[in-house]
Amino acid sequence: DTAVSQTPKYLVTQMGNDKSIKCEQNLGHDTMYWYKQDSKKFLKIMFSYNNKELIINETVPNRFSPKSPDKAHLNLHINSLELGDSAVYFCASRDRGVRSYYTFGSGTRLTVV
Amino acid sequence: QQQVKQSPQSLIVQKGGISIINCAYENTAFDYFPWYQQFPGKGPALLIAIRPDVSEKKEGRFTISFNKSAKQFSLHIMDSQPGDSATYFCAASGVRGGGADGLTFGKGTHLIIQP
C-alpha cells in the first residue's frame, strides 16, 4: 500500500499548456503539501492545505493552483506552463496533531519543452 | 534568505568511515529538525529527527547532534556503507500560520561511500 501516491510519475508537455498533477494519501492525515525540487535538488515548499484551507502560499506564481476535493487529495494545476516550471514536484502529508513524520510521495518529473 | 544552511554540498567517505553533515538555522521558532534521505527517482524519506530539548539522538548507525545555543545540528553516519550513498537533506519546521507548518530544507549533501 502506497501511503502518498502521485500521478503521473513523468509529464512532458509544451510551453503554454495547462496540466495537472494528482496526489492522494491513505494515511488519514489532515494536512497536505506540495514541494518543488529544482535541477539543483533544492526542495522548496509551495503550498499547504489543512481541512480544505490554504495555510501556506509561498512566493509561487498564480499560474499554480492547488485544488483539494477532500482531505485525502491535493491536486496541483499549472496554467500556461513555462520552461522554468520544469522540476520534480513532490506531494507530502502530515497529521496536524503530530508535528513530525511528513510522508512524501515519489514525485512527478515535469519537463516543459 | 536561506533559513537552513547545509554543508558540505558533496562528500566522499570510505566504507566503514564516519560521514558528517552539518546544518545551521536562523529562525529560533523552529522546533523540529529532521534529516531526510533521498535516492535517485524517489521521494525524501525520514531518516531521523530531533527536537531542541535534547542534545543528541541515536538510531542505529545514525546520530543527530544538536546545539541549541549555536543553532546548529549535524548528522553522523557511523560505519558508512555503499548503500548509504544518497542525497541527505536537513530540514526544520516550526509553527506558523494557523498551526500548520511545512519543512524548510537545506540544499542537500550528495554522499558517496566508496567500497
Side-chain angles (χ1 to χ4, degrees):
Chain A
D1 280 347
T2 303
V4 180
S5 59
Q6 297 178 228
T7 54
K9 188 169 177 63
Y10 301 96
L11 183 56
V12 181
T13 187
Q14 291 187 328
M15 282 176 54
N17 283 351
D18 302 337
K19 289 293 179 185
S20 295
I21 305 172
K22 295 186 177 181
C23 177
E24 176 181 4
Q25 54 97 2
N26 61 7
L27 297 166
H29 289 171
D30 55 13
T31 305
M32 296 182 71
Y33 305 85
W34 278 104
Y35 286 82
K36 178 181 179 180
Q37 186 169 48
D38 63 22
S39 58
K40 295 185 178 179
K41 293 203 167 186
F42 183 48
L43 277 158
K44 186 174 182 181
I45 189 169
M46 299 177 71
F47 299 105
S48 151
Y49 249 82
N50 181 292
N51 291 328
K52 298 190 179 183
E53 179 186 2
L54 182 66
I55 300 296
I56 305 171
N57 185 347
E58 298 292 325
T59 54
V60 173
N62 57 15
R63 298 181 295 102
F64 290 78
S65 57
K67 298 266 194 297
S68 180
D70 55 57
K71 204 169 82 166
H73 296 83
L74 182 63
N75 304 323
L76 183 64
H77 297 270
I78 315 169
N79 295 323
S80 303
L81 278 155
E82 301 177 357
L83 292 176
D85 298 332
S86 296
V88 181
Y89 293 85
F90 288 99
C91 178
S93 73
R94 178 179 66 79
D95 183 346
R96 185 180 185 184
V98 181
R99 201 148 33 82
S100 59
Y101 304 115
Y102 296 75
T103 303
F104 284 79
S106 58
T108 296
R109 180 174 293 278
L110 171 65
T111 304
V112 182
V113 297
Chain B
Q1 182 182 15
Q2 187 188 347
Q3 295 196 56
V4 180
K5 294 183 179 179
Q6 182 172 347
S7 62
Q9 205 169 9
S10 60
L11 180 62
I12 300 175
V13 175
Q14 295 295 316
K15 179 183 174 182
I18 303 174
S19 304
I20 302 174
I21 305 170
N22 300 299
C23 281
Y25 64 97
E26 299 167 0
N27 188 344
T28 54
F30 288 146
D31 63 356
Y32 172 66
F33 303 90
W35 284 89
Y36 280 82
Q37 179 187 57
Q38 186 179 28
F39 293 105
K42 302 292 185 183
L46 179 66
L47 194 61
I48 186 172
I50 198 168
R51 295 199 183 274
D53 52 345
V54 296
S55 60
E56 186 175 281
K57 183 174 182 179
K58 184 176 181 179
E59 290 183 0
R61 296 185 294 110
F62 302 94
T63 300
I64 299 179
S65 296
F66 185 83
N67 185 328
K68 187 175 180 179
S69 60
K71 292 189 285 186
Q72 295 174 346
F73 58 111
S74 61
L75 175 69
H76 295 233
I77 305 175
M78 312 299 286
D79 187 26
S80 299
Q81 299 297 311
D84 296 330
S85 298
T87 300
Y88 291 80
F89 293 93
C90 63
S93 74
V95 176
R96 55 175 170 159
D101 55 288
L103 292 166
T104 299
F105 284 90
K107 290 195 172 183
T109 296
H110 185 212
L111 174 64
I112 297 173
I113 307 300
Q114 289 187 333

